[in-house]
Amino acid sequence: MLTTEKAAAWLDDYARVIHENAAWLTDLDRQIGDADHGSNLERGMTAVEAIPREEYPDAASLLKKAGMTLVSTVGGAAGPLWGTFFLRFAGALDEPGDDATVVAAAMRAGLVGIVQRGKATEGDKTVVDALGPAVRVAEQKASQGASLADTLTAAAEAAAVGRDATIPMVARKGRASYLGDRSAGVQDPGATSITMLVESAARTLA
Amino acid sequence: MLTTEKAAAWLDDYARVIHENAAWLTDLDRQIGDADHGSNLERGMTAVEAIPREEYPDAASLLKKAGMTLVSTVGGAAGPLWGTFFLRFAGALDEPGDDATVVAAAMRAGLVGIVQRGKATEGDKTVVDALGPAVRVAEQKASQGASLADTLTAAAEAAAVGRDATIPMVARKGRASYLGDRSAGVQDPGATSITMLVESAARTLA
Amino acid sequence: MKKLINDPRDVVAEALVGLALAHPDRLRVDHDNAVVYRAEPTRPGKVALVSGGGSGHEPLHGGFVGLGMLDAACAGQVFTSPVPDQVLAATTTVDAGAGVLHIAKNYTGDVMNFDMASELAAESGIQVESVVVDDDVAVEDSLHTAGRRGTGLTVLLEKLVGAAAEQGRDLDAVTTLARSINDRGRSMGVALTSCTVPEVGRPTFDLAEDEIEVGVGIHGEPGRERRSLTTAAEVAQMLVDPVLDDLGTVSARERAAIVMLNGMGATPLLELYLMFGEVAKLLAARGIVPTRTLVGSYITSLEMAGCSLTVLEADEELLTLWDAPVNTPGLRWGA
Amino acid sequence: MKKLINDPRDVVAEALVGLALAHPDRLRVDHDNAVVYRAEPTRPGKVALVSGGGSGHEPLHGGFVGLGMLDAACAGQVFTSPVPDQVLAATTTVDAGAGVLHIAKNYTGDVMNFDMASELAAESGIQVESVVVDDDVAVEDSLHTAGRRGTGLTVLLEKLVGAAAEQGRDLDAVTTLARSINDRGRSMGVALTSCTVPEVGRPTFDLAEDEIEVGVGIHGEPGRERRSLTTAAEVAQMLVDPVLDDLGTVSARERAAIVMLNGMGATPLLELYLMFGEVAKLLAARGIVPTRTLVGSYITSLEMAGCSLTVLEADEELLTLWDAPVNTPGLRWGA
Ligand SMILES: Nc1ncnc2c1ncn2[C@@H]1O[C@H](COP(=O)(O)OP(=O)(O)O)[C@@H](O)[C@H]1O
Ligand SMILES: Nc1ncnc2c1ncn2[C@@H]1O[C@H](COP(=O)(O)OP(=O)(O)O)[C@@H](O)[C@H]1O
Ligand SMILES: [Mg+2]
Ligand SMILES: [Mg+2]
Ligand SMILES: [Mg+2]
Ligand SMILES: [Mg+2]
């Protein structure tokens, strides 16, 4: 079972990674968006770090609070997307199954939420291009009985591949889509930062 | 007596001089004013050149028309000042006396008009610093029985001396006065262009 | 970056302080939520209008709160949509039993944040409808993309729908009107210089001394093409043609329109009037009569220089709504 | 030079074309004389107000023609006063038997050209009085100089005196009121960037990226001093202190004022509201209550960035005149 401690470690690790990479994420967004993705996520994760952990008895309630915090502080596209991911992830944690199965299903729930909100499909040069493959691989690994650690490591690798695949894509969703063909050649900022989230999970949840 | 031809020659000569020096006059005004004195006078003298000379039977009516034209086309400080000079000059031409006396008196009338309008006294770094000495010298020469040619030549020399004396002055009237002490070091544009008017008279009226 | 600001992070909050101090008779500001309200609560039974978006477009939206226009405006950070909490707070506060219309501009972030807020409001029993303005013809519209951006038409729509709500029309009628206005209006903009987001500190894009960005967005998003600086007459043509082509004005008869020639923030009124003269000539040549006009800076992009044109075909109903009293800091007549 | 213009020589004439096309219901423009009139002739017996000056300060003056404000505005070339012919044409046209008040700003050219026009008008039997606005505390006043410049107070004076004329006060009363307003109001401005006169084609002055010109004039004339760019709070102090010092507000009791925080042309409303917040705090600390406020770009200097503050001490009479209806393109309420 996903403990509160592990969930907290995940959030802290991700916050650290975002602090470290905020400038780079913003610069990616400057090239094909509006130069705020790094500062948006940093504002949100700073607020998440400030959540009084002791008030949340289990992983689900803490991650739900993190999702609400992101929704309330980030704004723009990332706020609803990242927020929804955590809210749906948290809401799926009471499903039955071993840890790998539960976490893969929770990731699926998060992805479904993101797609419902943003209506993007793979190939649109968004967060979905990294998260989609990551979820598919996690589900596959879990169904094959892999450990949570192996499941998340494989998912993180798939996310990274998906992220890199966004480089040549022409954006069809989000602000980058206004650039048309000129959006090709730059890695999608959201795909980049969601990959960091899966990598962080692999480091902390298992 | 001042003939229409001579008056017309004066206007044409002054127009030519202004065309030649417009850029320089504007640049002087750029340094201590608002960079338009040359273009202001050029706009006015271009309109003066276009006056149908044949419609004006004598020097007084032609010069009056020139004054009205300057008032109507120049704007700013120069429009009323130059316009008033010509209007008053023309209005004084029916006084009795030899040519030198009449022209000196007409110049005095023009100066009085300028002072009434602008309330400047010598030392304020304006047109008055050149025109004042010129008028005094003209009156002196005329009263000593000098020819019109000698009278105007002496007046032009006095104007040039007065003009040069404006360089170190701190402006107390007109736009340059807002500069305070920073107005010192630049020759006053109006004193420069009025000197050209007296020099032009010396070339054409005698 | 040369701006009259203190800490770049405090720009929006401090501007709201000034807004509240400047208009205490007409506005009330909830500084915790960054929401601008009318000084008086919503008249019972009136449909309430809530708009909002990133800041940096002033007077839009906070300057359009007041009689005959908005009931509340949510101020996001500069060029960043507000969060659902703000929109939810505004919605809950202004609802007077007749429901609330959300007016959002078509940007992914704005749409998603407003959607979340309206879901939450609906859960708490408030009737909420939404209209998403997408009038900018610079961006090709397609089912497979984010679609056209929302720009200048938002100003006209907030005025017209505000008047309809003031008349006592119900939520359905107000929503239908808002959508039909969105269908009938189009905009196109051009930038002469970039804007600088305070927290970023450097220009959003670079334009050479002889270049203009045709079809620019209100956040400095790129446009259709970069062209050489040219005369006002030619720039007017670059705005009028795509707008009218998209509106499909091929009919021979004259048509009335509400026309806005909007300044992007740093363009002086002298130039805007001159441009309006050029635009009016071209509109006349294509049978469009600017029956009502706005010339000024109503939806800006910080200190960007440039302008945008909005044309809304207007029938008698819209003209009557346009003429109805409005009393906001940014738009006022008849009151 | 990046501007939305055609030939630099035609800027003023073409902007007047656009102004006329934008407001056909309210304004009429005599393009030969470059004079803006109300659409309706002066009501018989009403004192008429004529103002004017160089162009480039829009909406001043043409945008202030209309009910409750000016009867005519004479547009000079950019930053160049109008010629007497224009002022005379305007004066003759708007006189409705009760006389005409000329409102000029204190610049040598403006004063002389208005003086010539009023002499000519008086010769033709029209009663003419004049007020010369000189509110700018950046320039030391003295009998031996050209005196203070006329800036922001002109906007407030045109509104207030316009209301008094609309009430039917006679020429003497209107003139006395105008002079007393001029005595009670002061202004001070600051520039962040220069403006560029279209016909000159290059900036009027140079400011480094970290410099501001404190006490700048509305034509880009130099100010009191050049200082380093600093916070809005400190800039507010640089404006408030000299204005209040000059007004001599040492009294302990609170005093009502009409306060304008004016944009120079390229400063966005977001910054103006932020600055207003800073200014309001400092005014409060010195007992000045901004009972009525204007925040926006009302007297501009082409595309100069910066702002100016105008404070006019206001008694009940002025507040009542301020609240009276006004219907002009640049200022409108109650109508
Ligand atoms: N419709 C969408 N569906 C999924 N992801 C999206 C969508 N629109 C944008 N994104 C993601 O959001 C990222 C941008 O986030 P951010 O810069 O924080 O928001 P904004 O675009 O509002 O400034 C993009 O890189 C992209 O991955
Ligand atoms: N009050 C005054 N009396 C006499 N001459 C003046 C006065 N004010 C300005 N001038 C003259 O006018 C000149 C400037 O003219 P110009 O640049 O055409 O007008 P403006 O100052 O309105 O731009 C100055 O150089 C000065 O000689
Ligand atoms: Mg972004
Ligand atoms: Mg000059
Ligand atoms: Mg953004
Ligand atoms: Mg001048």
Side-chain angles (χ1 to χ4, degrees), chain B residues 104-173:
Chain B
M107 285 174 66
R108 166 66 65 190
L111 172 64
V112 168
I114 283 181
V115 171
Q116 279 173 0
R117 283 265 155 256
K119 319 240 162 12
T121 50
E122 287 180 37
D124 286 351
K125 194 173 183 122
T126 71
V127 67
V128 172
D129 290 305
L131 196 56
V135 171
R136 275 199 302 280
V137 167
E139 285 171 338
Q140 203 179 358
K141 281 277 174 187
S143 74
Q144 292 162 358
S147 71
L148 181 56
D150 288 353
T151 299
L152 287 173
T153 304
E157 278 160 17
V161 172
R163 172 199 66 200
D164 295 344
T166 64
I167 297 179
M169 287 180 189
V170 170
R172 283 193 299 252
K173 283 284 184 301

Side-chain angles (χ1 to χ4, degrees), chain C residues 200-235:
Chain C
V200 177
R202 56 177 177 149
T204 302
F205 58 95
D206 297 310
L207 268 182
E209 195 37 46
D210 62 345
E211 279 180 337
I212 58 177
E213 183 74 41
V214 182
V216 74
I218 57 170
H219 312 91
E221 302 98 331
R224 288 198 171 189
E225 49 177 348
R226 201 157 273 201
R227 298 185 57 163
S228 294
L229 180 62
T230 174
T231 61
E234 284 183 10
V235 173

Side-chain angles (χ1 to χ4, degrees), chain B residues 10-164:
Chain B
W10 186 24
L11 295 176
D12 288 340
D13 186 74
Y14 190 48
R16 182 185 56 75
V17 174
I18 291 300
H19 288 311
E20 272 169 22
N21 291 286
W24 178 46
L25 292 170
T26 289
D27 191 61
L28 289 175
D29 195 32
R30 191 184 61 73
Q31 294 174 62
I32 57 168
D34 61 348
D36 62 1
H37 186 60
S39 38
N40 284 347
L41 283 186
E42 189 163 31
R43 182 167 62 243
M45 291 311 296
T46 302
V48 166
E49 287 180 296
I51 297 170
R53 307 296 163 88
E54 61 285 1
E55 289 176 19
Y56 298 90
D58 53 30
S61 63
L62 176 60
L63 292 173
K64 184 173 173 221
K65 175 66 187 170
M68 281 163 50
T69 302
L70 290 170
V71 167
S72 303
T73 55
V74 175
L81 293 174
W82 267 243
T84 298
F85 178 85
F86 278 104
L87 287 170
R88 298 292 179 90
F89 186 102
L93 285 177
D94 56 4
E95 297 293 311
D98 60 69
D99 279 2
T101 306
V102 169
V103 168
M107 285 174 66
R108 166 66 65 190
L111 172 64
V112 168
I114 283 181
V115 171
Q116 279 173 0
R117 283 265 155 256
K119 319 240 162 12
T121 50
E122 287 180 37
D124 286 351
K125 194 173 183 122
T126 71
V127 67
V128 172
D129 290 305
L131 196 56
V135 171
R136 275 199 302 280
V137 167
E139 285 171 338
Q140 203 179 358
K141 281 277 174 187
S143 74
Q144 292 162 358
S147 71
L148 181 56
D150 288 353
T151 299
L152 287 173
T153 304
E157 278 160 17
V161 172
R163 172 199 66 200
D164 295 344

Side-chain angles (χ1 to χ4, degrees), chain D:
Chain D
M1 175 175 64
K2 267 190 151 170
K3 290 180 192 282
L4 291 167
I5 60 173
N6 298 305
D7 188 320
R9 283 167 302 193
D10 302 333
V11 167
V12 174
E14 292 182 355
L16 288 176
V17 168
L19 184 75
L21 287 168
H23 308 292
D25 49 328
R26 290 186 282 174
L27 300 181
R28 187 173 66 75
V29 176
D30 170 358
H31 293 286
D32 293 332
N33 281 305
V35 179
V36 180
Y37 293 105
R38 299 191 194 184
E40 307 289 320
T42 314
R43 202 177 66 233
K46 189 186 97 67
V47 169
L49 306 192
V50 172
S51 187
S55 294
H57 307 302
E58 293 66 26
L60 187 93
H61 295 276
F64 294 143
V65 173
L67 176 85
M69 222 161 159
L70 301 178
D71 293 276
C74 307
Q77 288 301 304
V78 172
F79 293 174
T80 300
S81 75
V83 299
D85 307 52
Q86 296 177 270
V87 182
L88 180 61
T91 304
T92 312
T93 305
V94 299
D95 179 42
V100 180
L101 178 67
H102 284 176
I103 302 173
K105 301 188 293 307
N106 191 32
Y107 300 94
T108 308
D110 292 71
V111 171
M112 289 197 292
N113 282 285
F114 268 90
D115 276 357
M116 292 191 88
S118 62
E119 288 161 20
L120 293 167
E123 278 170 26
S124 71
I126 301 175
Q127 267 184 284
V128 183
E129 290 288 347
S130 304
V131 59
V132 176
V133 184
D134 63 342
D135 57 318
D136 185 351
V137 301
V139 169
E140 306 293 327
D141 192 17
S142 142
L143 274 181
H144 306 295
T145 66
R148 287 192 303 249
R149 303 172 297 207
T151 57
L153 185 62
T154 317
V155 177
L156 310 192
L157 186 145
E158 290 180 356
K159 161 64 184 103
L160 294 163
V161 175
E166 217 70 60
Q167 285 180 344
R169 295 197 200 178
D170 68 16
L171 184 57
D172 270 0
V174 164
T175 307
T176 307
L177 174 71
R179 302 224 170 101
S180 104
I181 290 169
N182 188 50
D183 289 341
R184 287 183 278 171
R186 294 290 185 275
S187 299
M188 173 92 174
V190 60
L192 270 59
T193 65
S194 175
C195 49
T196 297
V197 177
E199 287 202 61
V200 177
R202 57 176 175 149
T204 302
F205 58 94
D206 297 309
L207 267 183
E209 194 38 46
D210 62 345
E211 279 180 338
I212 58 177
E213 182 75 40
V214 182
V216 74
I218 57 169
H219 312 92
E221 302 97 330
R224 289 197 169 187
E225 49 176 346
R226 201 158 274 200
R227 298 185 58 163
S228 295
L229 180 62
T230 175
T231 60
E234 282 182 12
V235 173
Q237 193 94 52
M238 295 175 204
L239 301 182
V240 169
D241 283 349
V243 164
L244 295 195
D245 289 351
D246 202 286
L247 277 176
T249 52
V250 284
S251 96
R253 71 190 167 81
E254 297 209 324
R255 289 196 267 179
I258 302 174
V259 175
M260 177 170 75
L261 201 279
N262 170 66
M264 292 293 203
T267 291
L269 208 43
L270 183 75
E271 293 177 41
L272 292 180
Y273 274 117
L274 191 154
M275 272 297 293
F276 182 78
E278 299 295 342
V279 163
K281 274 182 249 170
L282 297 173
L283 291 178
R286 290 183 65 170
I288 298 287
V289 183
T291 313
R292 301 291 185 279
T293 56
L294 278 185
V295 178
S297 295
Y298 295 101
I299 171 170
T300 59
S301 305
L302 296 170
E303 75 283 70
M304 191 189 285
C307 69
S308 65
L309 169 68
T310 299
V311 177
L312 168 64
E313 292 196 61
D315 51 19
E316 273 308 313
E317 182 197 15
L318 289 195
L319 295 179
T320 305
L321 290 170
W322 185 256
D323 293 338
V326 58
N327 182 351
T328 73
L331 216 57
R332 185 168 179 179
W333 55 75

